[in-house]
Amino acid sequence: MSVAVVTDSSAYLPDELLEGYGIHNVPLYVVLAGRSGREGWDVSPGDVARVLSVRGQTVSTSRPTPGDFVAAYRKALDTGADRLVSIHLSAELSGTWDAARLAASQVGEHVVSVVDTRSAAMGAGFAVLAAARSAAAGADAPTVTETARQIAAATRTFFVVDTLEHLRRGGRIGSAAAVLGSALAVKPVLHVQDGRVVPLEKVRTSTRALNRLVQRAVEAAGDGPVSVAVHHLAAEEKAERLAGEMRARLPHLRELHVSELGAAVGAHVGPGAVGIVVAPFWQEPDDV
């Protein structure tokens, strides 16, 4: 049986990987300046960064509709797949997983397996990529699904933002933590834990925050082969510097992707945000 992988636009996988593995990508929606558009199609990261750089301006996001997923599922089945594995950002952060689940019930839950990665950006993207590689190696749908779940559970996501205000406005972090951060002028290192954005540690300067970001990522990588992604929004120079640090400090680094956050996540972290995602590198088992 042929297994196809479906994800949403917030995974921020490079286009060449989406195309190379035939991954079906369903966009989230973004509203800015009174205009609604599809993330990555109609609204770019630069659009979001420009709007959020203006004081008082906001950007809102919404999930794909169940109909969007039904259309993607049917397209994948029409192009030759027998089973689908649909892998998405944390249900704690978005209604995207729920929309995918509703769509799966319409297409057939025996046909579509829906996975909540309990993460976001390449924290979900590496699970998608591992699943697609597993499917390409000939694994069946239960194995592809389990691969996605295992990689998602073992992936760590760390990030630093210029201000906690965007996370507070979007309800992605508690008001008390946001106010405390602003009042004390601390730069917290944040991470995704159990599907939620949680402060990990507090430092006093941006330089120290970036140093701790790298250190946390190196510790999370351990001694095994790893995949790493460095994300940013309107902070390419910082991201490239972080990528260089990871290349220098991880002898078992197998792949590294540097990409700008799209609108769906960028709207909540704001310009200047940088993050590092560390995942075990998926290798084809000998018995597949």
Side-chain angles (χ1 to χ4, degrees):
M1 297 180 72
S2 174
V3 181
V5 174
V6 181
T7 190
D8 60 79
S9 59
S10 71
Y12 304 131
L13 281 160
D15 288 342
E16 61 269 21
L17 292 177
L18 291 171
E19 295 166 6
Y21 287 101
I23 300 167
H24 298 263
N25 189 22
V26 181
L28 278 75
Y29 292 95
V30 183
V31 179
L32 70 169
R35 175 174 65 93
S36 177
R38 298 165 299 169
E39 177 183 44
W41 277 260
D42 310 309
V43 181
S44 71
D47 294 332
V48 173
R50 281 190 293 274
V51 170
L52 292 179
S53 295
V54 178
R55 186 176 180 83
Q57 293 293 310
T58 60
V59 175
S60 61
T61 61
S62 61
R63 70 181 192 177
T65 67
D68 292 335
F69 279 113
V70 168
Y73 294 160
R74 288 179 175 158
K75 180 179 179 181
L77 293 170
D78 288 344
T79 53
D82 300 300
R83 293 287 302 274
L84 309 177
V85 180
S86 195
I87 305 165
H88 303 288
L89 81 162
S90 173
E92 297 283 353
L93 299 174
S94 169
T96 300
W97 173 85
D98 194 50
R101 185 182 58 81
L102 291 170
S105 69
Q106 296 179 42
V107 173
E109 292 180 341
H110 63 290
V111 175
V112 186
S113 299
V114 183
V115 177
D116 176 3
T117 63
R118 300 186 68 76
S119 191
M122 282 295 285
F126 280 128
V128 174
L129 185 55
R133 286 170 170 163
S134 177
D140 59 15
T143 301
V144 172
T145 301
E146 184 58 23
T147 295
R149 290 191 172 125
Q150 288 180 358
I151 294 296
T155 297
R156 299 294 306 278
T157 300
F158 309 95
F159 63 105
V160 174
V161 297
D162 276 355
T163 172
L164 293 169
E165 182 62 17
H166 301 296
L167 285 165
R168 184 196 66 78
R169 285 180 186 171
R172 268 60 180 188
I173 196 169
S175 296
V179 170
L180 182 64
S182 299
L184 298 180
V186 297
K187 288 288 184 183
V189 176
L190 304 145
H191 69 145
V192 179
Q193 182 180 54
D194 296 328
R196 295 177 176 273
V197 175
V198 180
L200 183 60
E201 63 177 281
K202 303 183 181 96
V203 294
R204 284 292 183 181
T205 68
S206 294
T207 298
R208 288 181 180 175
L210 294 178
N211 289 340
R212 289 301 295 156
L213 182 66
V214 170
Q215 186 60 39
R216 287 284 189 169
V218 169
E219 291 169 358
D223 297 324
V226 292
S227 302
V228 171
V230 178
H231 288 305
H232 71 95
L233 182 61
E236 184 176 4
E237 186 176 333
K238 280 196 292 187
E240 291 293 348
R241 191 161 65 247
L242 292 175
E245 289 264 8
M246 299 308 289
R247 289 189 187 98
R249 298 181 63 173
L250 294 179
H252 301 292
L253 179 65
R254 297 294 295 273
E255 62 182 334
L256 187 148
H257 307 284
V258 179
S259 63
E260 191 161 25
L261 292 167
V265 174
H268 299 294
V269 297
V274 290
I276 302 175
V277 181
V278 179
F281 178 76
W282 184 85
Q283 295 175 299
E284 181 184 349
D286 293 337
D287 58 349
V288 172

